[in-house]
Each structure stands twice: as C-alpha cells, then as structure tokens.
Amino acid sequence: QVRLVESGGGSVQAGGSLTLSCVASGYKIDSNCMGWFRQAPGKEREGVACISGGGDIIYYTDSVKGRFTISRDNAKNTVYLQMNSLKPEDSAMYYCATRENRVCGSVTWSIVDAYNYFGQGTQVTVSS
C-alpha cells in the first residue's frame, strides 16, 4: 500500500522559514516525479513545485520562485520543500504527491489528476 506522510508544517510569522518533508512507504520514489501541492480554504488545489525522477528538472509556480526549494533524497525515500521568506498568502494545507513517471512534464506537472498518489497534508500558517 502506497503511503505518503508529510511533516514539518506549523505556524510562523511572515518572513520566516519552514521545511516540509514527505516520506514514502510501500513505494520507491527513485525514478518517479515528486510534487508538492497546496490548498487554501475555498480555493482549488494548486501545484507548488515538482522534481523529476532524476532530480534534474524542477518546476515552480511563479509565486514561490526564488523563495521555495524542492529536493529529494532517494536513499531516504523522502522529498523536501524548503520554504523561505514566507508570506501570509502561502498559508494552506500542503500535500506531497507522486506520479508513476520519471518526467514531471512542463504542462502537466501542476495538474492534480496527473498524479497517482497524495498524502494527507500538513498545515502551514503564516501570520502578518
């Protein structure tokens, strides 16, 4: 059974930092695209970042470029999202996701239905 478990969320003030982790079990992330999504109350789930199976191709949504960094440690079966210079508009539930494909896709990387599995999420709250 595939399971993705996120951790590292919390409450911080604007300008602060958090690092989210996502550990996979029942599934090897080695060759697969891994993504982070977020969903704020009343809004649709949106793609934040993704990293290809080889770690050589990364995409970010425009609003987080220069502030967030996605990375992966295949030996630990874990993907990370380092978030710096956090803003109140970054507040949301953050979800880890994976698709059974090495490539994230320049168009499909941010599409929810393109992913096979999602975690339960970790809450990030940024106060002004």
Side-chain angles (χ1 to χ4, degrees):
Q1 181 182 357
V2 177
R3 191 165 178 232
L4 302 176
V5 179
E6 303 93 338
S7 63
S11 297
V12 296
Q13 290 195 327
S17 298
L18 287 172
T19 299
L20 306 184
S21 300
C22 170
V23 181
S25 60
Y27 182 86
K28 295 292 288 183
I29 71 168
D30 290 29
S31 300
N32 295 312
C33 169
M34 300 295 297
W36 284 96
F37 285 74
R38 65 186 179 187
Q39 188 168 18
K43 295 188 176 181
E44 292 188 355
R45 192 169 295 190
E46 67 166 345
V48 176
C50 82
I51 183 168
S52 64
D56 54 337
I57 298 176
I58 291 174
Y59 296 106
Y60 295 100
T61 192
D62 286 346
S63 62
V64 308
K65 286 179 180 177
R67 301 188 297 121
F68 290 12
T69 303
I70 188 172
S71 61
R72 61 192 299 154
D73 185 338
N74 290 341
K76 295 183 177 180
N77 225 28
T78 301
V79 64
Y80 304 96
L81 186 68
Q82 172 70 42
M83 306 186 295
N84 298 325
S85 302
L86 282 161
K87 304 176 181 180
E89 51 264 42
D90 294 318
S91 296
M93 186 71 79
Y94 282 72
Y95 300 90
C96 173
T98 185
R99 57 194 296 189
E100 293 171 328
N101 192 315
R102 183 178 184 85
V103 178
C104 289
S106 60
V107 174
T108 61
W109 77 266
S110 61
I111 298 175
V112 171
D113 289 345
Y115 289 77
N116 301 105
Y117 306 103
F118 278 82
Q120 293 299 305
T122 185
Q123 179 68 41
V124 171
T125 303
V126 185
S127 59
S128 57

